[in-house]
Amino acid sequence: MRIVIEKPTIAYLHNTTPQEIEALKVQFAFENGKIGEQLKRHKRNMSWKRKDEDGWENHKWNLEAQLHDNVLKQDGEDYYIRPASISYIEGVEYTVENRIVYPELKPLPWKEELEFTPYPYQHESIKELLKIGHGNVALPTGCGKSFILLYLARVIGESIVVVTPSKAIFRELLVEFQKMLGKSNVGGYGDGLKCIKKPITIAIGKSITMLKKDTPQYDFFAAKQALLVDESHTWGADGLESISHGVLADAPRRFFMSATQTRGDGTIKLLQSIIGKTVVEMSIEEAIDKKYLCPLKFYVKQLRSLSTASNRSPIERGRKTRLNERDPLDCKRRHYLYNTEIAKFYANIANAMWKVEGESTLILVEELSQIQMLTELLDVPFGYIHSGSKKDAAKWGLEKVDLTTEIERFNRGEIRVLIGTKAIATGTNMYCTHNTCNWIGGSSEILTKQGPMGRSTRWMKKKFAQFHKPKTHSKIWDVDVIGQQILGSMLKRRVQYYEETGETVTSIV
């Protein structure tokens, strides 16, 4: 079989046999778990079926049609795959002809000198990515993937877009890129900014997906010669595809950064068709062993839930609908997210760790109600961050705060406890996490590794060291809700992720 890469997103297959096509169909087929969950929920929606059976059936048919997909595509009589999928072909012999023309590199000078010496794996990542032209690296949180993006952008020099999944990461990268490469070279697109005049553009992914054809903004991004993506695993694979294979389909160079290039919804083959070959990979245990990352210690406290059908928490009493304990999400809300015993436990940790040990604490939560519960129990300086609207925050007696400001206050020791939702659970840089409390729970590998683990692994940065006790390790706190089988299964998964660091989890009765 001969593979000809005609475009950055199209590789045609020539001289194939029926057996080879069938083999590729089998290995590139996948089931979209996200669609599968939507289908399950839809089948349980008997109210819709009773009111509009035809509409219910049509929606069911549409979901079933999307459930199964394949990376191998057909264009008339020709078959093609994404060039990124080539390195994942197994059991079929092939040759590759690459017709993509890569623009000449035009390196930019540093505006400020580097404050550190890059690690060998960072140099290796940059070298291998530039050599391959389209690929990814998988490095644990805290290993400097942002610096790799920065260095790649500097070396390529122009016509670059760096796409981020969130406002928090967007702001951090924009500040760092402008500091190191100059504001004249770096512009931002998203979060109120719409600069499309600079050689390098930092952009929020959602802003890219909303671009309309035949507009100056669309044409600006469509002409980009390099696509750099941060935290690629945190995106929905279909959303990342709409960027990579949509408006930016013609960008020759494509580089993707992630802590773990995986997906929990069955779309790993789709993700691989976007990110290409992994050129450098490192486990969190190896990174800690080589002292690239701060060691972690894990503690799980056994607690009970006081929430029952007759004794619901104040949070639950404010809800219009009752929770179904047989549903994992509802069980998690009632006995984990709305558990006042957990609120007391984490507040006691945060209060005591500062008063007795002089240590700071990060508490990761999922809902605004959890922030409200904690604010009534904390008696040390604290702040909070969330992505809710001003109106939603007001319902819980909270304010809408600036993310960058609150993280800076935490890092500088102006507050000793920071409470944050998923708005800061991925990609934000925190250095004074002596303690991290996981009040998000669940069983997601991504949320666990990027959340409590990822926020805790950075060593104390020099400019913040003067405000804090030295950080020799970080303690991660979790909770085992006694008697809740569903929550116990979720915890078991989280413990597996914790133990990948090489540490044993300590149980506290």
Side-chain angles (χ1 to χ4, degrees):
M1 179 174 68
R2 186 167 67 97
I3 303 176
V4 179
I5 303 176
E6 298 283 358
K7 299 178 180 180
T9 57
I10 300 290
Y12 282 103
L13 311 183
H14 299 278
N15 305 329
T16 58
T17 66
Q19 292 79 11
E20 288 171 334
I21 292 298
E22 187 59 31
L24 293 177
K25 283 182 179 179
V26 170
Q27 64 184 267
F28 283 141
F30 64 92
E31 181 177 304
N32 191 321
K34 183 178 179 181
I35 299 297
E37 287 300 317
Q38 292 177 18
L39 184 59
K40 287 180 184 178
R41 288 196 296 271
H42 178 68
K43 288 180 177 179
R44 293 197 297 263
N45 192 342
M46 293 295 101
S47 176
W48 183 353
K49 187 175 183 179
R50 286 192 295 269
K51 292 178 181 178
D52 180 13
E53 186 168 358
D54 288 342
W56 185 89
E57 286 288 351
N58 285 335
H59 188 63
K60 174 174 168 286
W61 182 86
N62 286 332
L63 289 174
E64 289 174 338
Q66 300 174 61
L67 182 60
H68 298 281
D69 205 344
N70 204 299
V71 173
L72 179 67
K73 304 293 183 183
Q74 195 165 3
D75 180 11
E77 296 183 356
D78 298 322
Y79 286 94
Y80 70 90
I81 59 175
R82 304 299 184 187
S85 294
I86 294 175
S87 63
Y88 298 98
I89 293 176
E90 297 179 351
V92 177
E93 293 186 2
Y94 60 89
T95 60
V96 179
E97 179 186 350
N98 189 352
R99 297 180 178 175
I100 297 175
V101 177
Y102 297 94
E104 179 184 353
L105 299 176
K106 299 180 180 179
L108 296 170
W110 291 115
K111 184 175 177 60
E112 291 192 14
E113 292 298 320
L114 293 179
E115 298 175 348
F116 61 93
T117 301
Y119 290 121
Y121 66 81
Q122 292 175 313
H123 281 303
E124 182 72 7
S125 298
I126 294 162
K127 182 185 75 173
E128 292 300 318
L129 287 173
L130 289 172
K131 181 168 67 176
I132 200 172
H134 185 167
N136 74 84
V137 297
L139 300 171
T141 298
C143 280
K145 295 183 293 294
S146 297
F147 170 75
I148 295 174
L149 287 172
L150 173 65
Y151 203 101
L152 286 168
R154 187 194 76 83
V155 172
I156 296 169
E158 64 180 23
S159 195
I160 304 158
V161 58
V162 182
V163 183
T164 73
S166 68
K167 290 183 180 179
I169 300 176
F170 166 79
R171 292 179 184 179
E172 287 190 356
L173 289 187
L174 183 60
V175 169
E176 187 65 15
F177 273 57
Q178 288 183 336
K179 172 187 173 184
M180 299 305 296
L181 299 177
K183 290 185 178 181
S184 61
N185 289 318
V186 182
Y189 193 87
D191 195 24
L193 298 177
K194 292 187 177 181
C195 177
I196 56 171
K197 297 180 180 180
K198 307 293 177 65
I200 301 170
T201 306
I202 314 298
I204 298 176
K206 186 176 181 180
S207 299
I208 300 292
T209 62
M210 296 174 68
L211 293 171
K212 298 187 181 302
K213 289 186 176 181
D214 301 321
T215 62
Q217 293 84 359
Y218 188 98
D219 293 341
F220 172 78
F221 286 104
K224 289 296 179 185
Q225 297 295 298
L227 167 63
L228 281 60
V229 178
D230 196 18
E231 304 291 357
S232 53
H233 74 283
T234 64
W235 303 69
D238 51 351
L240 187 57
E241 183 183 36
S242 70
I243 294 172
S244 303
H245 299 161
V247 61
L248 288 154
D250 292 329
R253 289 191 172 92
R254 296 164 171 263
F255 305 131
F256 300 83
M257 306 293 125
S258 178
T260 170
Q261 298 287 13
T262 186
R263 296 287 304 166
D265 59 5
T267 58
I268 181 61
K269 292 179 182 178
L270 177 57
L271 179 65
Q272 290 170 343
S273 76
I274 299 168
I275 64 176
K277 181 180 179 180
T278 303
V279 297
V280 174
E281 186 171 11
M282 185 188 300
S283 70
I284 187 169
E285 183 176 11
E286 180 184 356
I288 291 174
D289 183 61
K290 292 183 176 179
K291 301 191 183 326
Y292 297 139
L293 297 179
C294 176
L296 303 177
K297 295 186 181 299
F298 303 92
Y299 302 90
V300 174
K301 171 68 173 176
Q302 291 185 354
L303 292 174
R304 295 189 179 276
S305 171
L306 301 181
S307 178
T308 65
S310 60
N311 180 27
R312 294 189 297 161
S313 72
I315 304 301
E316 289 183 82
R317 290 198 291 271
R319 293 174 63 91
K320 294 182 179 179
T321 58
R322 295 187 63 177
L323 300 176
N324 175 13
E325 292 195 35
R326 291 176 295 179
D327 182 284
L329 294 179
D330 280 356
C331 179
K332 176 185 170 184
R333 288 191 181 98
R334 167 168 289 177
H335 298 291
Y336 198 84
L337 302 184
Y338 301 163
N339 192 328
T340 54
E341 295 302 296
I342 297 179
K344 293 175 185 176
F345 175 62
Y346 284 152
N348 286 339
I349 285 177
N351 289 332
M353 286 301 173
W354 171 240
K355 292 178 181 178
V356 178
E357 301 293 339
E359 296 179 351
S360 297
T361 301
L362 171 68
I363 306 177
L364 294 175
V365 302
E366 190 165 302
E367 299 187 5
L368 293 174
S369 61
Q370 295 168 275
I371 300 178
Q372 187 266 336
M373 293 166 71
L374 288 165
T375 59
E376 296 181 350
L377 299 168
L378 291 169
D379 55 18
V380 296
F382 70 87
Y384 52 78
I385 296 172
H386 59 83
S387 57
S389 67
K390 187 175 182 179
K391 181 178 179 181
D392 288 340
K395 292 178 183 178
W396 298 101
L398 305 174
E399 297 179 352
K400 184 68 176 176
V401 297
D402 180 70
L403 181 148
T404 304
T405 300
E406 292 304 295
I407 291 176
E408 183 72 9
R409 290 178 67 208
F410 185 56
N411 283 330
R412 294 180 63 84
E414 296 172 19
I415 53 177
R416 295 303 177 175
V417 179
L418 180 63
I419 312 166
T421 63
K422 293 176 185 176
I424 60 169
T426 300
T428 48
N429 296 333
M430 281 168 279
Y431 303 95
C432 57
T433 47
H434 297 100
N435 300 275
T436 300
C437 300
N438 183 0
W439 201 7
I440 293 177
S443 58
S444 167
E445 177 180 6
I446 292 173
L447 285 181
T448 303
K449 290 183 176 180
Q450 290 285 281
M453 296 173 69
R455 296 315 99 212
S456 308
T457 52
R458 285 181 172 84
W459 289 107
M460 191 79 72
K461 204 170 185 178
K462 286 184 180 180
K463 69 176 182 178
F464 300 125
Q466 61 181 306
F467 304 111
H468 300 279
K469 172 183 176 179
K471 179 179 174 182
T472 58
H473 64 275
S474 288
K475 298 183 286 291
I476 293 181
W477 303 85
D478 208 324
V479 169
D480 177 12
V481 181
I482 300 171
Q484 296 298 323
Q485 186 175 358
I486 292 175
L487 297 183
S489 297
M490 293 179 180
L491 174 63
K492 185 177 180 181
R493 294 290 297 276
R494 297 200 299 277
V495 168
Q496 290 175 350
Y497 306 141
Y498 294 155
E499 290 181 339
E500 288 181 16
T501 64
E503 287 287 333
T504 300
V505 176
T506 301
S507 180
I508 305 173
V509 179

